[in-house]
Amino acid sequence: MKDGMNSRLLLDCAKSCILASSPVFRRQQFLIRCVEGSIDHQPLSRDMQVLRSIEVDPENLIRAITPALDHTRHKGQAGNIAVIGGCREYTGAPYFAAISALKLGADLSHVFCTKDAAPVIKSYSPELIVHPVLEESYGVGEENKRSISSKVLAEVDKWMERFDCLVVGPGLGRDPFLLDCVSELMRHARQSNIPIVIDGDGLFLVTNNIDLVRGYPLAVLTPNVNEYKRLVQKVLNSEVNNEDAPQQLISLAKQIGGVTILRKGNSDLISDGNSVQAVSIYGSPRRCGGQGDILSGSVGVFLSWARKHILSADSKSHLSNKNPTVLGCIAGSTILRKAASLAFLKKKRSTVTGDIIECLGQCLEDISPAS
């Protein structure tokens, strides 16, 4: 009798395993997660309860800060974004960040990169304004470093006052001379009160020199899991605490002097040291490289729009007392997740970064129609 019961239990278990691994079952579960926001009907864990309590209404926010299209505007008023990045090894990342800004509705998008990277990035799209001004150590003699650094700074400074936001880091690389030049560019951007979104190798630079952003409220850091771990170790001298993630994020942002941090994860957590906002809209199970670059370009655009909205809004605006860097992060995270979800529904496993970028405009149009 026992043998018969054990056999039936083993058979039921095997059937369950087969069902759980079947493509039909997995598709059903994916659709359920899309509809329910990945939250099942089991009692919520403490972490999930915390996240739900700090969720925001991103669509109303996006509608509020997205500028209207009308015939009175001229080129540049809807955003002039500059990406600082692109070297011999990495040309895709700066392109993804810059083209994402354009696809969302920025009027102009620049890329400041090394001379080796410029022809490649230019070949991707004629829409981008590409400046081959950055230099790497291999092409610079020790005796020429100071003069070349000054020349690089002067070339970028000519454009600086035109920019609504800098995106620093996509495809930047870690060449010491190049990073020194970019450090000076960031200092000049601070002096000009220009927002700076920092991603990729820009986070490597900042983690090793926190003073570049310390106390600058218009700086945004967008670390992934490993980049966040290094930041926490460097700044808080501790390990990542996932049991109390919101409070640790607040402490980290405060310790750096009120910068805004967008901690990327299953739920994106955003804090400027005062509060935490969460964006948990279900995106895509496809984790192709380049999505962080889309995010940095998107945050740059929405940050610039939010800042203009707040500066021009009357005292009755419900956003007049909000931090534009936080608003930009919420909007950028939301649009990326929606675009990734839409692209995955179309392309499934073959989804790549370009497919997600092509869905950005449609996702924004669904929320804030141009007409």
Side-chain angles (χ1 to χ4, degrees):
M1 183 70 176
K2 282 186 176 180
D3 289 343
M5 290 179 64
N6 289 337
S7 296
R8 284 196 297 274
L9 287 172
L10 289 172
L11 181 60
D12 290 342
C13 182
K15 287 179 178 178
S16 297
C17 291
I18 292 170
L19 175 62
S21 63
S22 71
V24 172
F25 180 81
R26 290 198 304 270
R27 282 196 294 271
Q28 289 173 340
Q29 291 300 103
F30 170 70
L31 290 172
I32 290 171
R33 289 197 303 272
C34 288
V35 172
E36 299 184 353
S38 299
I39 300 174
D40 58 27
H41 298 292
Q42 299 299 318
L44 293 174
S45 67
R46 178 179 176 277
D47 287 347
M48 186 58 74
Q49 289 172 343
V50 170
L51 290 180
R52 290 195 68 177
S53 70
I54 57 179
E55 276 281 357
V56 294
D57 179 7
E59 294 196 5
N60 280 334
L61 161 63
I62 290 171
R63 277 189 284 270
I65 65 176
T66 301
L69 295 177
D70 61 58
H71 298 294
T72 64
R73 292 182 176 272
H74 57 78
K75 182 174 64 177
Q77 285 188 309
N80 194 344
I81 310 299
V83 176
I84 311 294
C87 61
R88 283 185 299 172
E89 290 87 355
Y90 307 115
T91 58
Y95 165 75
F96 290 145
I99 202 69
S100 296
L102 283 182
K103 291 289 186 177
L104 277 175
D107 287 338
L108 296 166
S109 192
H110 299 248
V111 177
F112 290 85
C113 60
T114 66
K115 294 175 181 177
D116 290 333
V120 183
I121 298 172
K122 286 175 182 282
S123 73
Y124 295 151
S125 172
E127 305 289 347
L128 305 179
I129 304 169
V130 182
H131 307 262
V133 299
L134 302 183
E135 297 278 2
E136 294 181 89
S137 298
Y138 73 91
V140 180
E142 192 65 37
E143 69 281 3
N144 297 323
K145 283 187 174 180
R146 179 173 295 182
S147 62
I148 291 177
S149 178
S150 298
K151 182 180 178 181
V152 169
L153 192 59
E155 285 292 323
V156 182
D157 260 353
K158 291 191 302 186
W159 296 85
M160 191 74 78
E161 66 178 16
R162 309 183 193 189
F163 298 138
D164 297 303
C165 185
L166 295 188
V167 179
V168 176
L172 185 62
R174 299 185 179 183
D175 178 81
F177 178 73
L178 178 56
L179 293 182
D180 286 345
C181 291
V182 172
S183 297
E184 286 302 312
L185 293 176
M186 291 175 65
R187 293 186 183 100
H188 278 236
R190 286 190 65 163
Q191 291 170 5
S192 300
N193 216 34
I194 296 172
I196 309 173
V197 178
I198 303 161
D199 188 45
D201 289 321
L203 289 168
F204 171 81
L205 172 62
V206 165
T207 301
N208 290 309
N209 188 359
I210 295 294
D211 286 340
L212 285 173
V213 295
R214 191 188 299 278
Y216 188 48
L218 293 177
V220 175
L221 312 183
T222 61
N224 61 25
V225 61
N226 291 320
E227 292 159 346
Y228 186 74
K229 178 181 179 180
R230 289 192 286 268
L231 267 175
V232 168
Q233 290 172 339
K234 178 76 172 185
V235 177
L236 299 180
N237 196 28
S238 65
E239 297 301 320
V240 173
N241 179 8
N242 288 318
E243 294 299 315
D244 197 6
Q247 188 55 51
Q248 186 177 56
L249 182 61
I250 288 176
S251 299
L252 181 61
K254 278 184 177 179
Q255 192 67 28
I256 306 178
V259 303
T260 295
I261 301 173
L262 192 167
R263 179 188 175 183
K264 295 181 281 196
N266 289 335
S267 291
D268 289 344
L269 298 181
I270 301 157
S271 179
D272 59 358
N274 295 314
S275 63
V276 176
Q277 308 290 338
V279 178
S280 302
I281 297 167
Y282 192 74
S284 165
R286 178 79 168 99
R287 300 306 306 152
C288 55
Q291 294 184 63
D293 305 313
I294 300 175
L295 179 64
S296 63
S298 301
V299 169
V301 174
F302 282 118
L303 192 169
S304 67
W305 287 351
R307 195 175 181 219
K308 289 180 179 180
H309 174 80
I310 291 170
L311 291 174
S312 64
D314 58 42
S315 58
K316 296 179 181 179
S317 171
H318 69 287
L319 298 177
S320 60
N321 62 344
K322 302 297 184 182
N323 186 340
T325 59
V326 172
L327 301 182
C329 287
I330 294 169
S333 172
T334 299
I335 283 294
L336 170 59
R337 286 168 175 262
K338 285 182 172 292
S341 178
L342 181 58
F344 183 77
L345 288 175
K346 295 177 179 180
K347 297 295 185 72
K348 304 300 181 185
R349 288 184 185 275
S350 68
T351 305
V352 292
T353 305
D355 300 320
I356 300 173
I357 290 171
E358 289 306 313
C359 292
L360 290 172
Q362 182 60 59
C363 291
L364 182 55
E365 180 67 15
D366 290 343
I367 297 171
S368 181
S371 56

